[in-house]
Amino acid sequence: MPMIEINHLRKEYREGNKAKVALKDLSLELEQGDIFGFIGPNGAGKTTTIKMLATLLIPTAGTASINGINVVEHPEKIRAIVGYMPDFFGVYDDIKVWEYLDFFASAYRLPRDRRPSIIDDVLALTDLTEKKDSYVESLSRGMKQRLCLAKTLVHDPLVMLLDEPASGLDPRARIEIRELLKELQSMGKTIIVSSHILPEMEEFCNKIGIIESGELIVAGDVKTIARSVRGQHNIDVVVLDEIGRAHAILTGMSDVVREVKFVGNRRRSLSDENPDAETQPMERRIEDPSAGGTLQIGYTGEPDEEYRILQVLVQAGVRVKAFYTPETDLEDVFLRVTKGVVS
Amino acid sequence: MISNPVLRKELAGNVRMRQLPRVARVGCLLLIASLIGTIYYYVIVRFILADRGTTTAVDTWHVVVILQAALICLISPSIAANSITREKEQQTWEMLLFTMLQPSQIVFGKLLARLYYLGLMILIFMPIELACWAKASNEITTAMVALTYLVMAVSALCFTTISLYVSWVVKRTIYSIMSGYSIVIGGLVICTSLSAAVVNGSLANNPLMWINPILMFGQAIDPHIVTGGDLTVAIITYLLATALMLTRMIIRLRDFSLEA
């Protein structure tokens, strides 16, 4: 049984006499332990979907269930197994950190005698133990974000719905949140997380869904999506010398290799936050055919053919230093499948 | 009821003095206690008990009850005005609704926390009233004292519930405060008086005036000076309105927020 099952979910809002469609027939299945990255431009329908799963919005049509429980028919049961962190949230400033967590622990009906240890555990998990007796208003924004995550974890939910958990945070705080999500992943939680920071999403999400104008355009495994979007697999080959000969050999394998690009000695790092950086490894002209460098190969085949390409290069005496599948560029995938339309 | 998490959080969160150092807190409490003690001493010992007759006691009784009535009419409509709008403004409302708290826990937690502070403000006058009653028990009967406190309790409950209700309906605290005062001061005090005067040419013997809080307090402190009003009907009306508002909030607390 899937942990999260969504069938033809639809949400319409009334604006005067007109119905505005926020979400159109969204269907999705996630297994336990999946980390699903929900990607889409502002107004695409991510928050609407998350709120419907969190029982805070009633769908116009369709069904959604978590752990086999229908979210519309049994909202109380859903709230017991789901942790929800909204995109914009506040905290109660006028109480202490432990009081804040104790309030939510009691609101989730945790027994009084178990609450102190649970609070200590979630504070340790979110690295806030030292702030236990501080007033919430004294925390930094990143700490408040982690406190909100701690609150979300206090009843040990099976599923976590995190709407833009790292938005508005500085790089250090974002890294802390990312590390925390990785830890939750290792604990077996099923997580739906929406974010605009795509390089970070592909680092810990095993599945993604791209939504635009209320429609789920594509969903599934990150690499499979990248392949289907690009229509090919990519391999990076780093050679020590004779890059010109390696380029010629690969270009000659036209039955397997679709394109060969010389990308120099450096690829843009996926975590590079420089907005001026190229979104794609730029193809360059080979200045010195006898020098080393990196070639990016686009091919259409199966893993067997990766082996064949490597074999041909090695047998031809090309000194291959590295041969690997590059990280998927989620930003590239996102830009290819979306049109920049909001619903 | 004290196990209600919302009530405990509201009571803890509203006491800003908690953030002061212990010495400063004790100092503040001693200052307040000495101020109140001094007022009690002068009013009770030097004023009420010093009078050989009962006139001072009766007059003080009237003044104190009018003061309490004014406090209820002026503070109740706004005391719970931010109880839910503040949650909406600071974006904690959704997270509160997402917990497993029952709607009744949220509503009563917020209502009782506000009534607690209002009750403290009202009860602070009680020693003076008891002194008046002890000194002039012939003029200020036990039934009058009980009736006055009943009217105060019902009015405070009803007006605070109105305040809480509008806080649930609107999104901003400022609108909530304005709506609360419009209903209590504008509607119950001014409109009933104007309507009665226009319809009947007189404030007396007009059912519209029965729910006027000023008339209710007038009848409670001195049944002889005002005639025509029916205090029982007024109290039942207030209690009924309170029950209706609370029931609607409890039934629709989450529904309302869903599509808002």
Side-chain angles (χ1 to χ4, degrees):
Chain A
M1 182 178 66
M3 180 55 79
I4 297 175
E5 192 172 7
I6 301 172
N7 289 310
H8 305 291
L9 205 63
R10 185 179 178 85
K11 181 66 190 174
E12 291 176 8
Y13 292 102
R14 285 267 151 211
E15 273 189 356
N17 290 330
K18 288 183 180 175
K20 183 187 167 195
V21 181
L23 196 69
K24 302 168 194 165
D25 291 336
L26 187 142
S27 295
L28 186 69
E29 276 189 11
L30 297 176
E31 302 299 327
Q32 185 177 7
D34 277 345
I35 311 289
F36 181 75
F38 213 14
I39 302 165
N42 290 330
K46 304 185 297 289
T47 299
T48 302
T49 308
I50 288 176
K51 280 191 176 179
M52 283 194 282
L53 289 175
T55 73
L56 293 167
L57 280 176
I58 296 172
T60 309
T63 60
S65 61
I66 297 175
N67 202 25
I69 303 165
N70 188 299
V71 298
V72 177
E73 290 168 9
H74 305 289
E76 298 85 8
K77 289 181 183 172
I78 291 294
R79 286 195 288 271
I81 59 164
V82 172
Y84 168 61
M85 182 173 167
D87 49 352
F88 297 105
F89 68 91
V91 285
Y92 300 116
D93 282 337
D94 41 17
I95 53 178
K96 292 179 178 177
V97 166
W98 76 265
E99 288 174 329
Y100 179 83
L101 293 173
D102 187 65
F103 166 69
F104 279 99
S106 53
Y108 280 106
R109 299 178 195 164
L110 299 182
R112 187 185 290 267
D113 56 333
R114 279 185 53 213
R115 281 184 227 152
S117 63
I118 288 170
I119 289 169
D120 287 343
D121 288 348
V122 292
L123 284 174
L125 189 64
T126 51
D127 205 16
L128 285 171
T129 305
E130 287 181 6
K131 296 287 177 184
K132 185 177 177 180
D133 288 313
S134 303
Y135 277 92
V136 173
E137 67 186 356
S138 70
L139 301 183
S140 68
R141 175 154 184 180
M143 286 177 185
K144 284 180 182 174
Q145 207 102 351
R146 279 186 280 147
L147 178 63
C148 191
L149 258 177
K151 175 244 27 146
T152 309
L153 286 164
V154 86
H155 61 300
D156 194 21
L158 291 172
V159 173
M160 296 183 71
L161 306 172
L162 310 176
D163 199 357
E164 303 276 359
S167 66
L169 295 181
D170 61 46
R172 176 175 288 277
R174 283 212 324 252
I175 290 164
E176 285 168 356
I177 292 280
R178 190 179 68 199
E179 294 306 313
L180 180 57
L181 291 181
K182 282 182 184 174
E183 204 160 336
L184 294 173
Q185 183 178 19
S186 68
M187 291 163 68
K189 307 276 184 206
T190 307
I191 302 175
I192 292 185
V193 54
S194 76
S195 176
H196 291 305
I197 305 159
L198 306 188
E200 288 182 1
M201 295 281 272
E202 69 180 299
E203 210 173 299
F204 57 81
C205 294
N206 65 326
K207 289 180 182 172
I208 59 157
I210 297 178
I211 186 169
E212 189 176 38
S213 303
E215 278 183 280
L216 189 65
I217 300 168
V218 63
D221 170 65
V222 180
K223 286 190 169 58
T224 311
I225 289 174
R227 185 186 168 190
S228 68
V229 168
R230 292 198 184 108
Q232 63 183 27
H233 274 309
N234 284 343
I235 299 173
D236 279 6
V237 184
V238 183
V239 295
L240 288 175
D241 49 25
E242 295 188 291
I243 186 102
R245 194 159 72 88
H247 189 278
I249 293 167
L250 290 168
T251 309
M253 296 177 71
S254 56
D255 56 327
V256 180
V257 176
R258 192 179 263 190
E259 62 174 350
V260 184
K261 286 192 284 189
F262 173 60
V263 292
N265 289 317
R266 180 183 169 273
R267 277 198 74 232
R268 185 180 74 88
S269 164
L270 286 172
S271 57
D272 193 346
E273 290 295 317
N274 179 4
D276 297 328
E278 300 289 341
T279 54
Q280 282 288 290
M282 189 172 67
E283 184 169 9
R284 298 173 183 182
R285 201 160 59 86
I286 300 173
E287 299 284 351
D288 181 4
S290 63
T294 304
L295 293 170
Q296 188 170 88
I297 306 163
Y299 78 103
T300 54
E302 297 300 315
D304 278 2
E305 282 158 346
E306 284 181 25
Y307 172 72
R308 206 181 124 205
I309 294 166
L310 179 61
Q311 192 181 36
V312 167
L313 286 172
V314 172
Q315 282 177 350
V318 176
R319 295 205 294 163
V320 178
K321 184 184 173 191
F323 187 90
Y324 57 92
T325 305
E327 290 176 70
T328 312
D329 191 339
L330 203 50
E331 286 177 352
D332 173 43
V333 174
F334 180 72
L335 289 173
R336 282 177 192 245
V337 299
T338 58
K339 297 168 191 163
V341 181
V342 291
S343 62
Chain B
M1 186 53 80
I2 199 68
S3 65
N4 182 339
V6 179
L7 176 60
R8 278 190 290 122
K9 182 190 75 65
E10 293 283 326
L11 289 175
N14 283 335
V15 187
R16 300 293 297 188
M17 214 167 70
R18 294 167 73 229
Q19 297 196 29
L20 291 174
R22 187 182 294 267
V23 177
R25 268 186 283 171
V26 173
C28 281
L29 288 174
L30 283 175
L31 193 70
I32 294 168
S34 58
L35 189 70
I36 293 171
T38 308
I39 293 170
Y40 283 164
Y41 173 76
Y42 272 96
V43 175
I44 296 172
V45 179
R46 304 287 294 270
F47 197 57
I48 299 170
L49 299 180
D51 183 15
R52 292 191 176 190
T54 57
T55 317
T56 308
V58 174
D59 289 347
T60 307
W61 157 258
H62 284 157
V63 169
V64 169
V65 173
I66 289 166
L67 207 59
Q68 285 172 308
L71 271 179
I72 289 170
C73 290
L74 293 174
I75 293 176
S76 304
S78 65
I79 198 165
N82 72 345
S83 51
I84 294 177
T85 49
R86 192 177 66 166
E87 300 260 10
K88 293 174 187 170
E89 285 164 350
Q90 70 182 13
Q91 296 173 321
T92 51
W93 184 233
E94 223 173 55
M95 291 195 293
L96 187 66
L97 290 181
F98 188 73
T99 63
M100 295 179 71
L101 288 167
Q102 296 294 325
S104 57
Q105 284 180 297
I106 298 174
V107 170
F108 283 115
K110 290 189 173 292
L111 180 68
L112 292 177
R114 283 357 191 242
L115 284 173
Y116 173 80
Y117 292 112
L118 185 65
L120 281 182
M121 275 187 268
I122 301 302
L123 291 177
I124 215 160
F125 295 96
M126 203 174 194
I128 298 172
E129 288 172 316
L130 288 177
C132 296
W133 170 69
K135 180 80 178 178
S137 52
N138 287 335
E139 288 93 337
I140 307 164
T141 63
T142 309
M144 274 170 65
V145 175
L147 193 62
T148 304
Y149 269 89
L150 177 67
V151 171
M152 276 192 244
V154 171
S155 310
L157 175 67
C158 183
F159 299 163
T160 308
T161 306
I162 289 172
S163 173
L164 183 67
Y165 188 85
V166 290
S167 181
W168 172 59
V169 172
V170 302
K171 286 182 179 173
R172 299 270 167 222
T173 302
I174 184 73
Y175 301 145
S176 176
I177 293 171
M178 285 161 58
S179 307
Y181 279 122
S182 299
I183 295 168
V184 175
I185 306 293
L188 292 178
V189 178
I190 298 173
C191 279
T192 51
S193 306
L194 286 177
S195 306
V198 169
V199 172
N200 228 18
S202 159
L203 296 185
N205 301 319
N206 192 313
L208 279 171
M209 287 297 289
W210 292 358
I211 55 166
N212 186 307
I214 294 173
L215 184 82
M216 284 173 69
F217 279 105
Q219 285 178 296
I221 57 174
D222 193 347
H224 306 296
I225 59 167
V226 183
T227 56
D230 193 327
L231 200 53
T232 312
V233 173
I235 288 172
I236 290 171
T237 307
Y238 274 35
L239 288 175
L240 206 61
T242 305
L244 280 173
M245 283 184 284
L246 289 175
T247 307
R248 184 169 165 79
M249 266 193 283
I250 289 167
I251 291 172
R252 297 210 57 203
L253 192 77
R254 283 194 167 94
D255 296 356
F256 193 92
S257 66
L258 292 177
E259 305 299 334

